Amino acid sequence: MADIKIPLKDVAAQYRALKAEIDPALQDFLGAGQYVLGPAVEKFEREVAAYLGVGHAVGVGSGTDALLIALRVLGVGEGDDVITTPFTFVASADVIARLGARPVFVDVDAATLNLDPARVAEMATAETAAVLPVHLYGLPADVPAIAAVAPGVPILEDAAQAMGAELGGRKVGCLASAAAFSFFPTKNLGAFGDGGLIATDDEELAARARRLRVHGAAKKNYPQEIGYKSRLDGLQAAILSIKLKHLDAWAARLRDLAGRYRDRLGAVPGVTLLAEPEGRSPAYHQFTIRAERRDELKRFLGERGIAAAVYYPTTVHLTPAFAYLGYREGSFPEAERAAAEVLSLPLWPEMADGQVDEVCAAIAAFYA
């Protein structure tokens, strides 16, 4: 493997660009002395709720905690079924199992790799307590179609990869009963550590989520139910408030870079581009292709100093942790085929056009 000259992401580039804004804000925060929850978190929650177009935003410790707490406030518990995708990061299924519920996987749409509404319709039953679609790679899942085939069933958007994406002119995060976001450093809105957020229009759901993040207590030392220790750090909130102002500009730049990739790779033999249905504006957390001889291509790029990654090399239903569900190889052929073919290419807002061209030229050379 050669030294990497084009990384998958350059997360420090945003700090370098925003240093003059971030450094004074951090000094002010550190001097104020209120480091857990407090004004910085409350300010960010108001700002992100307004950005998303929802009534309430609740900051928590991670994107995984956001999924867990949101599912719980939606009523998911022991013995329930929750429909979700087998082709995603394991956290989406993990939180279902941690609540004592059962992940019910359905296959993905071959063109977008998002949850297939037609297959959701086949699996929805009276025991279905929720549907958890993932906006994979930042492309919005078809939440309205899922809602139409599962009427009355709560839907939780797993929007961990999709802050800034839009569906039908509406921001991802305001499309369903609730949404969960991640602020892991590599995400489109990334903190300098971990963090997450629950978005909802339901005041009661938001109030319960606020209790659950502090051990189930509405007031100190008086828990109403068993909860969690899951709070968004004020330090991270202060950074995220600054970054949020730039998010739409970054999203626009990512779409430009993705368009450049699509223009240059669309005719390359061996490469298949994922579909972008009309009315969906992706956030492009990743730019992902389907590639013949994927692993060979990844090695070829690495030898030329170009990073690439596989998200995700194994479908969740085939991992040892979820063997108890009884699924086997062949249960979800579209998801399994995707796991063997997908490759995510370098992409971040400060990436230069010429770097995209270099990646595309290397891919074309491999298949030539």
Side-chain angles (χ1 to χ4, degrees):
M1 181 73 70
D3 291 338
I4 294 299
K5 58 182 179 179
I6 303 181
L8 193 67
K9 291 186 182 292
D10 182 357
V11 295
Q14 288 184 357
Y15 172 66
R16 294 191 294 268
L18 300 178
K19 179 178 171 62
E21 293 180 68
I22 289 174
D23 286 2
L26 294 183
Q27 290 297 321
D28 290 344
F29 172 79
L30 294 172
Q34 189 164 356
Y35 304 141
V36 176
L37 296 177
V41 173
E42 293 167 6
K43 176 177 180 288
F44 174 65
E45 288 174 339
R46 291 193 300 271
E47 291 168 346
V48 77
Y51 175 83
L52 295 172
V54 297
H56 309 278
V58 182
V60 294
S62 68
T64 300
D65 283 357
L67 288 167
L68 178 71
I69 294 172
L71 277 179
R72 185 168 161 188
V73 300
L74 288 172
V76 173
E78 193 76 31
D80 288 333
D81 287 350
V82 178
I83 293 175
T84 193
T85 168
F87 189 61
T88 184
F89 183 57
V90 68
S92 306
D94 175 83
V95 295
I96 298 168
R98 285 166 62 188
L99 289 171
R102 176 177 178 264
V104 176
F105 296 122
V106 302
D107 213 349
V108 297
D109 173 72
T112 66
L113 304 187
N114 274 330
L115 200 61
D116 188 338
R119 293 185 169 101
V120 173
E122 294 171 359
M123 295 303 296
T125 70
E127 283 71 47
T128 302
V131 182
L132 179 58
V134 177
H135 301 307
L136 190 69
Y137 306 138
L139 176 68
D142 196 345
V143 175
I146 293 169
V149 300
V153 178
I155 296 174
L156 173 62
E157 300 175 63
D158 184 339
Q161 302 178 16
M163 177 69 84
E166 296 182 0
L167 175 62
R170 301 172 66 203
K171 294 289 187 188
V172 159
C174 73
L175 305 175
S177 309
F181 291 91
S182 169
F183 303 127
F184 188 77
T186 59
K187 296 297 193 289
N188 296 48
L189 185 64
F192 288 0
D194 224 331
L197 182 129
I198 299 163
T200 183
D201 267 328
D202 190 311
E203 185 173 358
E204 291 186 11
L205 294 184
R208 190 177 179 210
R210 292 184 193 282
R211 289 198 306 270
L212 287 174
R213 72 178 175 179
V214 286
H215 299 284
K219 60 181 180 179
K220 192 172 182 179
N221 297 324
Y222 196 77
Q224 295 176 261
E225 57 184 320
I226 303 298
Y228 312 92
K229 181 182 179 182
S230 181
R231 301 169 296 210
L232 178 63
D233 288 340
L235 182 72
Q236 305 301 345
I239 294 164
L240 291 166
S241 281
I242 293 169
K243 287 191 168 190
L244 182 62
K245 295 181 291 186
H246 301 272
L247 181 59
D248 282 344
W250 291 336
R253 174 59 178 162
L254 289 173
R255 290 174 191 130
D256 286 346
L257 292 168
R260 195 174 187 90
Y261 268 127
R262 296 180 76 86
D263 287 345
R264 284 154 179 74
L265 294 177
V268 174
V271 172
T272 300
L273 302 176
L274 301 185
E276 291 183 5
E278 188 176 353
R280 301 189 214 184
S281 185
Y284 280 112
H285 172 54
Q286 306 286 351
F287 185 83
T288 302
I289 60 172
R290 301 181 77 143
E292 296 177 10
R293 298 159 50 211
R294 188 266 315 279
D295 295 341
E296 293 178 50
L297 172 60
K298 184 174 181 291
R299 285 194 296 272
F300 181 87
L301 294 174
E303 289 164 359
R304 283 148 186 80
I306 299 170
V310 178
Y311 301 108
Y312 299 91
T314 305
T315 53
V316 178
H317 72 284
L318 295 181
T319 61
F322 291 91
Y324 74 95
L325 293 172
Y327 296 113
R328 56 183 58 86
E329 191 171 345
S331 293
F332 306 106
E334 292 296 348
E336 292 167 33
R337 186 164 68 91
E341 295 177 355
V342 293
L343 187 66
S344 294
L345 305 178
L347 187 69
W348 67 96
E350 298 79 13
M351 189 179 186
D353 290 355
Q355 290 176 305
V356 172
D357 296 345
E358 186 173 348
V359 175
C360 295
I363 293 171
F366 173 78
Y367 287 109

